[in-house]
């Protein structure tokens, strides 16, 4: 129990530090968006008696950012060398059968991979100023094990077929949408379906990519698998949005994912 609490604290701290780092980077003197960030950060302060306060703060932010970059270079990072389709693991790897240590290792792998894969998806969709929270992916993993044990057991059973994989992918997308690990800036475009369409654009490719990695016959994911998942989810985007809005979204999503998984390489 104490070990899990410590892990939760560490993950939440990482998310908070990433947010602070992003604010610092946006405030650099050589950045394009530092002025608005500084104005927002200092709007509650009384007028500064001197001139050039924004310039001083932006240069200070640049110095801090460079110092943090140097410090990071001396710290070992558990991150993939390159993020592409080969980064995706099968659902059985992320949700294995085993003891607590194995579950904890799988949870770490899941939230790490999902964090970097989401960054790649956002870049592929040309979405800027979105923040990704690892803690929310950790919550997705925990919820999958708590609420969807029957699906995971069916997935681990000998001879599990396409339907079991598709159902698990559907549950994974639904829980991702519930936890909202991607937070968009206020300037994000308005979307239909209660604002979930943009979330679905980012999260559906992750669930589909996990399914593709699970169905792979040779067990070796291709580098373009993530790109294929992004394109396929975009093609079926309207249908996925409609399914997610139903009273039983997992039941509605399962045939959609089953069809995609059956026809994609």
């Amino acid at each position: 129990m104490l070990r899990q609490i410590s892990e939760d604290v560490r993950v939440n701290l990482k998310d908070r530090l990433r947010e602070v780092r992003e604010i610092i980077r946006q405030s650099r003197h050589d950045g394009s968006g530092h002025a608005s960030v500084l104005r927002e950060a200092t709007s509650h302060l009384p007028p500064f008696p001197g001139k050039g306060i924004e310039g001083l703060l932006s240069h200070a932010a640049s110095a801090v950012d460079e110092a943090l970059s140097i410090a990071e270079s001396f710290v070992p990072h558990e991150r993939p060398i390159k993020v592409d389709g080969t980064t995706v693991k099968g659902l059985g790897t992320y949700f294995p059968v085993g003891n607590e240590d194995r579950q904890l290792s799988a949870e770490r792998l899941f939230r790490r991979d999902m964090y970097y894969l989401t960054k790649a998806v956002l870049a592929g969709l040309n979405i800027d100023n979105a923040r990704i929270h690892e803690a929310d992916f950790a919550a997705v993993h925990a919820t999958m094990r708590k609420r969807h044990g029957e699906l995971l057991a069916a997935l681990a059973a000998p001879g599990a077929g396409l339907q079991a994989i598709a159902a698990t992918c559907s549950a994974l997308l639904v829980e991702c949408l519930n936890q909202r690990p991607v937070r968009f800036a206020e300037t994000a475009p308005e979307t239909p379906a209660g604002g979930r369409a943009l979330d679905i654009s980012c999260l559906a490719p992750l669930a589909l990519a996990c399914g593709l990695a699970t169905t792979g016959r040779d067990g070796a994911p291709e580098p373009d698998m993530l790109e294929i998942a992004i394109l396929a989810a975009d093609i079926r985007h309207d249908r996925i949005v409609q399914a997610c809005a139903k009273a039983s979204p997992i039941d509605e999503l399962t045939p959609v994912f089953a069809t995609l998984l059956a026809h994609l390489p």
Side-chain angles (χ1 to χ4, degrees):
M1 177 65 71
L2 290 176
R3 183 179 179 184
Q4 183 60 48
I5 292 174
S6 176
E7 186 74 10
D8 292 342
V9 171
R10 189 174 73 88
V11 174
N12 279 280
L13 182 59
K14 284 172 64 178
D15 286 337
R16 300 293 83 76
L17 289 175
R18 282 176 177 140
E19 290 180 357
V20 172
R21 186 68 186 279
E22 182 63 24
I23 292 173
I24 291 173
R25 283 177 171 164
Q26 291 178 7
S27 303
R28 288 180 62 98
H29 75 281
D30 52 357
S32 59
H34 70 277
S36 60
V37 174
L38 288 170
R39 280 194 295 270
E40 180 180 354
T42 60
S43 60
H44 66 288
L45 299 176
F48 192 74
K51 294 183 178 180
I53 180 60
E54 290 187 359
L56 290 174
L57 289 176
S58 61
H59 278 80
S62 299
V64 172
D65 186 33
E66 290 167 4
L68 289 173
S69 296
I70 294 172
E72 285 179 345
S73 66
F74 292 100
V75 178
H77 286 80
E78 187 183 353
R79 65 176 61 175
I81 297 175
K82 184 180 181 182
V83 179
D84 55 22
T86 61
T87 307
V88 187
K89 314 296 188 301
L91 292 165
T93 300
Y94 292 134
F95 302 99
V97 176
N99 58 26
E100 183 180 350
D101 286 340
R102 189 176 184 188
Q103 301 300 335
L104 189 58
S105 296
E107 183 266 333
R108 288 197 193 104
L109 181 63
F110 174 78
R111 59 177 167 76
R112 185 207 70 167
D113 285 356
M114 293 303 106
Y115 175 82
Y116 289 107
L117 288 167
T118 302
K119 289 187 70 173
V121 171
L122 290 171
L125 297 175
N126 296 315
I127 297 177
D128 299 322
N129 300 323
R131 293 177 180 174
I132 309 166
H133 289 173
E134 261 193 64
D136 291 327
F137 278 121
V140 169
H141 191 274
T143 304
M144 285 290 294
R145 302 205 65 84
K146 182 178 180 180
R147 294 182 181 173
H148 306 291
E150 293 184 2
L151 291 179
L152 297 178
L155 186 69
L162 193 64
Q163 195 73 9
I165 298 173
T168 306
C169 289
S170 301
L172 180 58
L173 175 57
V174 169
E175 297 306 337
C176 283
L177 290 172
N178 289 337
Q179 297 297 333
R180 296 199 68 199
V182 184
R183 309 295 171 86
F184 303 99
E186 294 181 358
T187 56
E190 294 292 332
T191 56
R196 292 187 117 191
L198 189 56
D199 296 86
I200 290 171
S201 295
C202 301
L203 297 171
L206 302 181
L208 182 57
C210 289
L212 289 172
T214 307
T215 59
R217 294 185 178 87
D218 56 6
E222 297 293 333
D224 60 354
M225 182 182 295
L226 184 61
E227 182 179 353
I228 291 173
I230 293 173
L231 293 173
D234 181 62
I235 291 172
R236 301 300 292 163
H237 181 262
D238 290 343
R239 180 67 183 89
I240 294 173
V241 170
Q242 292 170 7
C244 289
K246 299 294 184 180
S248 301
I250 296 177
D251 294 337
E252 297 288 338
L253 282 168
T254 297
V256 179
F257 277 111
T259 300
L260 291 172
L261 292 172
H263 293 89
L264 292 175

